Amino acid sequence: MNGLHSFPVTNTAAENRWPGSSRKMCGRTACTLAPDEVSRACSYRNRGGQRRQPRWRDGDTDKYQPSYNKSPQSLSPVLLSQRHFDKNAPVDECVLASMRWGLVPAWFKENDPSKMQYSTNNCRSENILEKKTYKDPLIKGQRCVILADGFYEWRRKEKDKQPFFIYFPQAQGTSHEKTEDHPTSPACNKENSETVCPPEEASHDLTEGGEAPGEWTGWKLLTMAGLFDCWTPPGGGEPLYTYSVITVNASPSLESIHDRMPAILDGEEEVRRWLDFGDVKSLDALKLLQSKNTLTFHPVSQLVNNSRNNSPECLQPVDLKSKKEPKPTASSKMMMSWLTSSTPSKRKEPNTCGSKEESESKKVQCRSTGALHQWLQGANKKPRAK
């Protein structure tokens, strides 16, 4: 992959307003870690037992922009096998790439991918083998893992839609361990979840050759199964890499919000098997796509309804009963714990300040402190120096 396309990344009016209007799920995510943090959060053990840290494809760190409110057509961090780009790479080597959300099939004949007549943001697991758009990349082994802090989903209630932020429970020292199903635990409560434990400070260093000295113990990224494809304009030009998030029936803990959920890959072994298109054949890989009762959530402000709103308030928990101003929960306290204990020097600022000129005038308000960090610490608190 030499790079991405020159087509504009835009959102339709419908996407900007109500992503849940057609009851299609997973139309928004948040991914707020800086590129180097995403890489550390994706460290894995190779077949020799060494912990490795995936590198970004050349130039893709500049394409990826952390955001509190990512919508379809935006670029997201995606983990995949390096063998898709280098057939001689080790079978277990992974790489990070920035790909556009909304799969454009390789056989699409128009010159402009925005002319596609149907949505490919999500792919129903039960229909993968029935639709050429998804069957082709699956047969080619083009499986990937979409990374995010979590995703937003809307629960219908009469004429209103209440958004929720949904993510992995955060527990100390378990960033890469398989999460057990806890249908009755506080972390999977159907109304809200607030009981989580603060993780330890993350390891920042990297040994020679890309080996990570220890597991990432910061925010545990959500790992969603997906398919990707590579489309080249009929008239020639730069290839466009795009993906679709695979969905399954909602788990018991989430069915009160929506009837679908992303296919979650829980733990390093499931991620490894999904990405290993050489040894793990397509039909065996599909068996990994199960509803998992492992996610937690909290309600958030309707500010997130409009994808143009890209601020920390999108993630802030709200009290649905009191209707008062949002206030921190146990979950948010956990977030604050690890964010304040380890402030990376290379965090990339989410684009919440508009143009460069506006950015300069609003420098104080738009600090490069990452998602959740700004609203948890407060606007006037500075992050601790590394």
Side-chain angles (χ1 to χ4, degrees):
M1 178 173 67
N2 298 320
L4 285 173
H5 61 95
S6 58
F7 296 102
V9 176
T10 59
N11 302 317
T12 65
E15 286 168 349
N16 287 333
R17 292 193 300 269
W18 292 106
S21 59
S22 63
R23 293 302 284 165
K24 291 183 179 180
M25 61 80 50
C26 196
R28 297 286 174 75
T29 65
C31 194
T32 64
L33 298 185
D36 63 311
E37 293 177 299
V38 172
S39 182
R40 294 203 305 272
C42 294
S43 67
Y44 61 96
R45 292 193 185 280
N46 61 17
R47 293 188 176 185
Q50 295 176 309
R51 181 152 292 283
R52 309 290 294 183
Q53 183 173 306
R55 299 186 183 279
W56 284 84
R57 292 286 300 167
D58 291 344
D60 276 19
T61 54
D62 294 329
K63 297 182 179 75
Y64 160 63
Q65 291 292 331
S67 174
Y68 307 101
N69 193 0
K70 279 187 173 293
S71 60
Q73 308 307 312
S74 64
L75 301 177
S76 298
V78 171
L79 187 69
L80 67 162
S81 171
Q82 172 65 6
R83 283 202 165 187
H84 290 295
F85 309 106
D86 179 5
K87 294 182 179 180
N88 297 319
V91 66
D92 55 356
E93 183 177 347
C94 295
V95 65
L96 286 164
S98 291
M99 293 191 186
R100 199 176 83 164
W101 188 357
L103 189 146
V104 179
W107 46 262
F108 186 64
K109 300 301 183 182
E110 297 285 349
N111 287 315
D112 184 354
S114 66
K115 292 182 179 180
M116 285 187 61
Q117 299 299 310
Y118 55 96
S119 172
T120 56
N121 302 329
N122 299 152
C123 166
R124 296 174 71 93
S125 61
E126 55 267 43
N127 296 339
I128 288 180
L129 295 176
E130 300 174 6
K131 298 188 177 182
K132 180 178 174 61
T133 298
Y134 308 118
K135 182 178 180 179
D136 284 2
L138 177 69
I139 292 175
K140 294 176 184 178
Q142 293 170 187
R143 309 193 298 255
C144 63
V145 176
I146 297 94
L147 305 167
D149 295 7
F151 69 96
Y152 298 100
E153 195 49 79
W154 281 254
R155 180 172 67 189
R156 287 174 179 266
K157 189 174 182 180
E158 296 178 354
K159 294 183 179 180
D160 293 328
K161 294 168 188 165
Q162 173 58 49
F164 290 81
F165 186 58
I166 305 170
Y167 49 98
F168 269 138
Q170 307 293 310
Q172 184 169 348
T174 59
S175 294
H176 294 275
E177 296 171 4
K178 186 178 178 71
T179 307
E180 298 295 332
D181 284 2
H182 296 296
T184 58
S185 71
C188 292
N189 186 283
K190 285 194 175 185
E191 292 302 319
N192 196 4
S193 173
E194 298 186 356
T195 305
V196 286
C197 303
E200 296 174 352
E201 183 172 350
S203 299
H204 292 175
D205 299 327
L206 184 68
T207 60
E208 187 175 350
E211 182 180 350
E215 293 188 29
W216 164 262
T217 52
W219 185 260
K220 183 181 179 182
L221 288 177
L222 201 59
T223 43
M224 300 176 284
L227 296 172
F228 76 92
D229 211 343
C230 179
W231 172 81
T232 302
E238 200 169 8
L240 168 63
Y241 283 80
T242 58
Y243 70 87
S244 180
V245 177
I246 299 174
T247 68
V248 294
N249 289 327
S251 64
S253 61
L254 297 180
E255 61 186 5
S256 65
I257 300 176
H258 201 282
D259 59 0
R260 304 289 292 181
M261 66 179 289
I264 302 299
L265 299 168
D266 190 6
E268 203 170 303
E269 178 61 15
E270 289 194 4
V271 169
R272 183 196 68 78
R273 287 181 57 79
W274 180 252
L275 296 182
D276 187 357
F277 65 93
D279 289 347
V280 183
K281 303 306 178 183
S282 298
L283 293 180
D284 291 327
L286 290 177
K287 296 176 183 178
L288 295 169
L289 308 179
Q290 305 292 330
S291 299
K292 295 184 173 70
N293 210 36
T294 57
L295 303 183
T296 186
F297 56 86
H298 62 250
V300 294
S301 167
Q302 292 191 4
L303 185 72
V304 75
N305 291 352
N306 191 321
S307 63
R308 294 189 182 93
N309 294 328
N310 182 17
S311 67
E313 288 73 24
C314 290
L315 294 163
Q316 186 171 351
V318 297
D319 188 335
L320 297 181
K321 295 180 180 179
S322 69
K323 302 296 182 181
K324 293 180 180 179
E325 288 296 314
K327 58 183 179 181
T329 65
S331 297
S332 66
K333 292 177 182 178
M334 185 286 306
M335 297 170 186
M336 182 176 181
S337 176
W338 85 263
L339 285 166
T340 56
S341 67
S342 176
T343 303
S345 59
K346 296 182 180 181
R347 186 180 293 278
K348 201 169 183 179
E349 180 180 349
N351 185 20
T352 62
C353 305
S355 66
K356 290 183 178 180
E357 293 77 10
E358 291 173 332
S359 179
E360 288 298 320
S361 66
K362 297 180 180 179
K363 193 172 182 180
V364 175
Q365 289 79 17
C366 299
R367 296 188 177 91
S368 180
T369 52
L372 304 172
H373 199 184
Q374 291 185 14
W375 70 264
L376 287 172
Q377 281 199 308
N380 297 321
K381 289 187 178 181
K382 294 183 179 180
R384 192 177 68 182
K386 187 176 176 181

